[in-house]
Amino acid sequence: MAEHKEEPLLESVMDKISDKFHGGDSSSSSDSDDEKKKGSSSASAAEAMKAKIYRLFGRERPVHSVLGGGKPADLVLWRNKKISGGVLAGATAIWLLFEVMEYHLLTLVCHCLILSLAVLFLWSNASTFINKSPPNIPEVKIPEDAAVNVALTLRYEINRGFATLREIGHGRDLKKFLIVIAGLWLLSVLGSCCNFLTLSYIVFMVLYTVPVLYEKYEDKVDAFGEKAMIELKKYYAIFDEKCLSKIPKGPLKDKKH
């Protein structure tokens, strides 16, 4: 009889222990579910905040992706400081050579070819006397596919420029007309202050330093750009209302039936 009484007592104790463990598991699972919900909500909130942040020119991708990615973007963004610094030093040396030392391009090319051919010629003839192998001169050829791709790209860009100029000449887009006129006027002012080589070097320096600085301080630059764009839109709206809207526009495009 005592054994029969002890069995239900043991079963009841085991049931209570199992209930406690199951209760703990359910509470821990509910806690993990709450944590997942909180994590997903915080992630969605972070994405919403990123979407609200103003970026220059409506940029939605990182600067590296905007520049095309790959080695050219790494070069411009100074991912490898030795290679980027070497390119900058080479461009500066070329500018100093032609602008400061007043060296001419044709003279430089001829002198470099004379020196290279003289060294190769002497090396090839002297190799039989000094018991050394002659120089291995690689065969250099321009690939046909690369030349065709470059020609097609230039053709597309030139045709697009001509189409833009034609559209502006028809008087259909006053805003674009003013932007092009201002850009050409600024370019003419820069051209009167310096020659083509110096202007090219300035453009190279701007394109080579501005992206990496923008990537480093993009939050501050974007905030300042947002304020500047708001002010520009205000002034443009006033200018459009008082001046541009009163100028007669050119013939409109033919409507599609």
Side-chain angles (χ1 to χ4, degrees):
M1 292 295 291
E3 292 177 356
H4 289 295
K5 288 182 181 178
E6 289 177 357
E7 288 179 358
L9 288 173
L10 291 172
E11 291 179 356
S12 62
V13 171
M14 294 297 293
D15 291 337
K16 290 181 180 180
I17 294 172
S18 63
D19 290 339
K20 286 184 179 180
F21 277 111
H22 287 302
D25 293 338
S26 62
S27 63
S28 62
S29 62
S30 62
D31 293 338
S32 62
D33 293 337
D34 293 337
E35 289 178 357
K36 289 180 180 178
K37 290 180 180 179
K38 289 179 181 179
S40 61
S41 62
S42 62
S44 61
E47 291 178 356
M49 287 296 292
K50 287 182 179 179
K52 292 180 181 179
I53 295 175
Y54 174 84
R55 297 297 182 189
L56 285 179
F57 310 111
R59 178 176 61 85
E60 296 180 355
R61 297 178 297 167
V63 180
H64 190 271
S65 300
V66 172
L67 294 176
K71 293 183 179 179
D74 293 339
L75 184 68
V76 174
L77 295 176
W78 292 70
R79 293 289 190 265
N80 191 330
K81 294 183 179 180
K82 291 183 179 179
I83 297 177
S84 299
V87 172
L88 181 61
T92 305
I94 292 172
W95 178 76
L96 290 173
L97 190 65
F98 289 111
E99 185 64 22
V100 179
M101 300 178 64
E102 296 182 354
Y103 217 74
H104 298 286
L105 178 62
L106 184 60
T107 306
L108 178 64
V109 171
C110 291
H111 286 176
C112 289
L113 288 175
I114 290 170
L115 181 61
S116 301
L117 291 174
V119 170
L120 292 174
F121 182 81
L122 293 175
W123 188 0
S124 299
N125 287 279
S127 60
T128 57
F129 298 102
I130 59 177
N131 296 324
K132 287 189 177 181
S133 61
N136 184 15
I137 304 174
E139 186 178 0
V140 179
K141 289 184 178 180
I142 299 176
E144 184 178 356
D145 295 337
V148 171
N149 290 331
V150 170
L152 290 176
T153 303
L154 288 175
R155 173 181 171 273
Y156 173 75
E157 295 296 335
I158 291 171
N159 288 336
R160 191 173 68 169
F162 285 153
T164 302
L165 294 176
R166 182 174 179 272
E167 184 180 358
I168 293 172
H170 283 166
R172 293 169 181 164
D173 194 341
L174 185 59
K175 183 179 179 180
K176 190 180 292 184
F177 168 76
L178 293 175
I179 292 173
V180 171
I181 293 298
L184 291 174
W185 177 79
L186 181 61
L187 192 62
S188 66
V189 171
L190 291 175
S192 63
C193 297
C194 56
N195 57 18
F196 180 74
L197 180 62
T198 303
L199 182 61
S200 301
Y201 180 70
I202 292 172
V203 172
F204 170 78
M205 289 295 295
V206 170
L207 295 177
Y208 206 63
T209 55
V210 169
V212 65
L213 292 175
Y214 172 70
E215 187 185 36
K216 188 176 182 180
Y217 304 103
E218 61 177 340
D219 293 333
K220 296 179 181 179
V221 175
D222 288 338
F224 179 78
E226 183 179 9
K227 296 178 182 178
M229 285 300 296
I230 292 172
E231 295 297 326
L232 286 175
K233 286 180 180 179
K234 288 180 181 178
Y235 287 117
Y236 179 77
I238 296 171
F239 182 66
D240 186 18
E241 182 181 358
K242 293 184 178 180
C243 300
L244 299 182
S245 60
K246 297 178 182 179
I247 299 175
K249 297 181 179 180
L252 297 175
K253 294 181 180 179
D254 296 332
K255 296 181 179 179
K256 294 181 180 180
H257 297 287

